[in-house]
Amino acid sequence: MSETESKNFIEVMIDKDLETGVYDTVHTRFPPEPNGYLHIGHAKSILLNYGLAKKYNGKFNLRFDDTNPTKEDIEFVESIKADTEWLGADWEDRLFFASDYFGQMYEAAVKLIRKGKAYVSDLSADQIREYRGSLTEPGKEDPFSTRSVEENLRLFEEMKDGKYGDGEKVLRARIDMASPNINMRDPVIYRVAHMSHHNTKDAWCIYPMYDFAHPVEDAIEGITHSICTLEFEDHRPLYDWVVRELEYPNPPRQIEFAKLYLKNVVTGKRYIKKLVEEGIVDGWDDPRLVSIAALRRRGFTPESIRMFVEMCGVSKANSVADYAALEYCIREDLKPRAPRYMAVLDPVKLVIDNYPEDRTEYLTACNNPDNEELGSREVPFCRELYIEREDFMEEPPKKYFRLFPGNEVRLMNGYFVTCTGCVKDENGVVTEVHCTYDPLSRGGNSPDGRKVRGTIHWVAAKDAVTAQVRLYENIIDEEKGVYNEDGSLNLNPNSLTVMKECKLEPAFKGAKAYDRFQFVRQGFFSVDPRDSVEGSLVFNRIVSLKSSFVLPKQGEGA
Ligand code: ATP
Ligand code: MG
């Protein structure tokens, strides 16, 4: 693939800007509103903006778009910083808060008034809506639009000084009430709101509207390419109007791209907030969610998320990605990196009747057949082991090659064993499986060329580490779709399974928060950073080993 073919449409635009001298540098930003946790969609925006700055040797700002005092919270500021940093997007010393520019925004509004480009209106919110017209009807002039510059300056200052109540007066940009683009019909750019702000406290009782504030923020920071999502496409003429009328020397340019959506996955803050508040999930970082904090807690790596975002590509057309693609990325990332150890999730005892009672021997096991560098370890082996309950059946169906009376299997890295029967309790539940071993098959190698069809994993009972393991499914019932008719979520009752008495080989001892492993035959798991403590480990399943995902061909996206 040639250099030009691999460029996305934003890179093509940037190249042109640099070639024609519109800009001589690239300066991007990620501008989250601190009103919730970041999710996988935001990761796309972060990595896109940061990636462009890196690629063009430019700069990247993290800017909190905290101009709306109602919904914002310092808890979210901290979580957004942590998530952005974890993803590897380094803002260096360029961390900004839009609220620090309230003074400059006020001056910018005054400048518009002086130029006759903004006026104070007494219309109510409802009246403004009514006067605005519709897609088929032009708007009507605001009766207050004829106020003089002097009067507007005085009224705007009075708004700032707290003379008016909420909603009593607004500042509107004077653009074009007949514009086919409703955003251009004299949009409100400042409103009165007697509210305390998390940063500026009670310094202001007027606050700028997003469409005015955002271009000003970008211009103040010297942003060149202001990258946002498609829903702002119709607002671009207003963005351009603001930076033009304010006469910024080298104004930023807005470029829109399509949001990242995941099929059958909830990302909306409103829904997640409800799940948290109703106690259906264990906080914003519940591993079943796709907030960045949740993905991190579950055990995803920043590398896997980068790979996923790259696979999805950047485009102008909305599309929906598959969660299976994200799973593919984490498997690819962890396959060579994670040590592969044995863990029994649903244990039943396997007793080897012809193995000496007080003997323990150590068998060598490779830590990762895909990566020699991870070396090997010694695994204890003794007369009593744990195996998965489902690896034994008293009456097996056809094609079941694991343990059943009379059948011989390989204990991975261990010996060949032949099942001789089982012991059951009064309810008919199997409590012990019995077998004999072939001492000549040490290491799991056939002594005489005879073959076994099943290989199962196991853990020596004596040295086993007991741990809790959590298995996850989509929190949404995928069969039924995300939403019910009444707008509520279709929850999957089986989204969380807690296995409390799992038995792990001793190599797991000392595992720390976020350590990742492959549990042989079971999937990839990570130590839960919140609930796991030394001596009482808790693991989250990141992803199972089974995949239905087919890697798309180059250029098709995920
Ligand atoms: P949501 O409504 O999904 O909670 P938001 O758009 O209100 O998110 P902001 O804090 O305003 O959240 O978003 C910060 C940046 O992230 C914006 O530039 C926005 O365009 C971008 N962004 C938000 N959602 C996505 C997404 N799904 N894919 C890509 N970028 C996104
Ligand atoms: Mg938003």
Side-chain angles (χ1 to χ4, degrees), residues 293-396:
L295 292 166
R296 177 170 63 225
R297 180 171 171 198
R298 181 146 172 187
F300 280 84
T301 58
E303 290 82 357
S304 65
I305 292 175
R306 276 205 289 274
M307 181 177 169
F308 171 67
V309 162
E310 266 161 38
M311 219 158 89
C312 291
V314 179
S315 97
K316 274 265 185 199
N318 277 318
S319 65
V320 180
D322 248 316
Y323 187 81
L326 182 59
E327 295 189 320
Y328 168 84
C329 294
I330 187 67
R331 279 193 206 100
E332 284 299 298
D333 185 31
L334 292 182
K335 221 185 281 169
R337 294 215 254 170
R340 224 169 275 188
Y341 295 162
M342 295 191 286
V344 175
L345 303 188
D346 182 15
V348 66
K349 265 212 178 136
L350 177 70
V351 182
I352 309 170
D353 291 311
N354 62 339
Y355 195 91
E357 209 149 322
D358 46 8
R359 184 157 128 205
T360 303
E361 67 178 306
Y362 289 84
L363 299 160
T364 305
C366 171
N367 286 339
N368 187 331
D370 291 336
N371 181 357
E372 275 185 19
E373 279 176 28
L374 293 186
S376 62
R377 67 191 185 286
E378 300 297 299
V379 186
F381 186 91
C382 53
R383 181 185 156 94
E384 292 196 356
L385 311 174
Y386 289 110
I387 59 166
E388 298 287 352
R389 187 166 284 281
E390 62 167 33
D391 285 341
F392 168 76
M393 283 187 106
E394 204 175 10
E395 284 164 36

Side-chain angles (χ1 to χ4, degrees), residues 169-389:
K169 284 192 167 37
V170 293
L171 185 70
R172 300 183 76 173
R174 189 196 311 279
I175 309 180
D176 180 6
M177 288 307 289
S179 171
N181 183 341
I182 293 183
N183 294 303
M184 300 298 272
R185 295 183 190 169
D186 293 12
V188 173
I189 59 174
Y190 255 98
R191 64 188 171 123
V192 178
H194 289 267
M195 265 187 284
S196 196
H197 184 277
H198 76 93
N199 181 22
T200 57
K201 306 289 184 271
D202 298 316
W204 296 89
C205 63
I206 55 171
Y207 291 97
M209 304 302 286
Y210 180 87
D211 279 336
F212 171 71
H214 204 82
V216 174
E217 293 158 26
D218 285 339
I220 288 172
E221 291 176 14
I223 299 302
T224 55
H225 299 87
S226 176
I227 298 165
C228 64
T229 40
L230 279 184
E231 71 271 25
F232 290 102
E233 200 164 23
D234 290 344
H235 298 239
R236 191 183 341 130
L238 178 51
Y239 186 101
D240 290 342
W241 183 92
V242 170
V243 295
R244 190 172 62 242
E245 291 301 338
L246 290 173
E247 298 165 54
Y248 290 108
N250 209 344
R253 155 223 273 284
Q254 177 181 304
I255 303 173
E256 310 86 17
F257 73 101
K259 276 193 173 182
L260 170 64
Y261 291 105
L262 277 177
K263 194 158 137 196
N264 287 334
V265 169
V266 201
T267 53
K269 282 172 202 165
R270 198 156 59 89
Y271 291 100
I272 293 180
K273 200 159 172 234
K274 204 154 167 259
L275 292 174
V276 173
E277 280 166 2
E278 289 175 5
I280 292 164
V281 296
D282 172 26
W284 286 84
D285 63 352
D286 184 290
R288 287 167 291 179
L289 301 174
V290 291
S291 63
I292 312 268
L295 292 166
R296 177 170 63 225
R297 180 171 171 198
R298 181 146 172 187
F300 280 84
T301 58
E303 290 82 357
S304 65
I305 292 175
R306 276 205 289 274
M307 181 177 169
F308 171 67
V309 162
E310 266 161 38
M311 219 158 89
C312 291
V314 179
S315 97
K316 274 265 185 199
N318 277 318
S319 65
V320 180
D322 248 316
Y323 187 81
L326 182 59
E327 295 189 320
Y328 168 84
C329 294
I330 187 67
R331 279 193 206 100
E332 284 299 298
D333 185 31
L334 292 182
K335 221 185 281 169
R337 294 215 254 170
R340 224 169 275 188
Y341 295 162
M342 295 191 286
V344 175
L345 303 188
D346 182 15
V348 66
K349 265 212 178 136
L350 177 70
V351 182
I352 309 170
D353 291 311
N354 62 339
Y355 195 91
E357 209 149 322
D358 46 8
R359 184 157 128 205
T360 303
E361 67 178 306
Y362 289 84
L363 299 160
T364 305
C366 171
N367 286 339
N368 187 331
D370 291 336
N371 181 357
E372 275 185 19
E373 279 176 28
L374 293 186
S376 62
R377 67 191 185 286
E378 300 297 299
V379 186
F381 186 91
C382 53
R383 181 185 156 94
E384 292 196 356
L385 311 174
Y386 289 110
I387 59 166
E388 298 287 352
R389 187 166 284 281

